[in-house]
Amino acid sequence: MDAATLAAAIQRQADRRELHCSMLALAAKLGLVLLGGVSLLRLSGAYQQRLDRHAEIAAVVDVESSKLQTLQQRFDRLFTVGGEQRLIGEQDQWIAPNRVRIVWR
């Protein structure tokens, strides 16, 4: 074996190693890109679920806020002039027909 053949064989081995290393680096990069893509898809799904939950909670808060506003207005009416009579009038509906109402003073 002469020096040129030996040099050519060493060059081919070096080229093969470089090709293997390049392929390995490419596979690692593709794996990272795939991992990033999958993570992004999962995050977008989780974000959509959070938006849906937020919309549901916002709707419940709106309903409860309107109930609170109604109850606050009713409570405020009880402490205005004639509020006691309104309360007694409202409680007449709660008393069964065969019961006697007792008013404590």
Side-chain angles (χ1 to χ4, degrees), residues 72-84 86-87:
Q72 283 177 336
Q73 289 173 356
R74 181 175 176 267
F75 182 78
D76 290 343
R77 279 195 312 262
L78 291 177
F79 287 98
T80 59
V81 176
E84 181 183 355
R86 275 194 291 277
L87 179 63

Side-chain angles (χ1 to χ4, degrees), residues 32-52:
L32 287 174
V33 167
L34 182 64
L35 180 66
V38 169
S39 296
L40 191 62
L41 285 174
R42 291 182 67 191
L43 280 174
S44 66
Y47 179 71
Q48 186 63 38
Q49 284 180 348
R50 286 188 106 172
L51 284 178
D52 292 342

Side-chain angles (χ1 to χ4, degrees), residues 53-84:
R53 288 179 189 157
H54 179 268
E56 290 174 11
I57 291 171
V60 170
V61 166
D62 289 342
V63 169
E64 294 299 322
S65 295
S66 65
K67 285 180 185 179
L68 176 64
Q69 186 68 23
T70 304
L71 290 173
Q72 283 177 336
Q73 289 173 356
R74 181 175 176 267
F75 182 78
D76 290 343
R77 279 195 312 262
L78 291 177
F79 287 98
T80 59
V81 176
E84 181 183 355

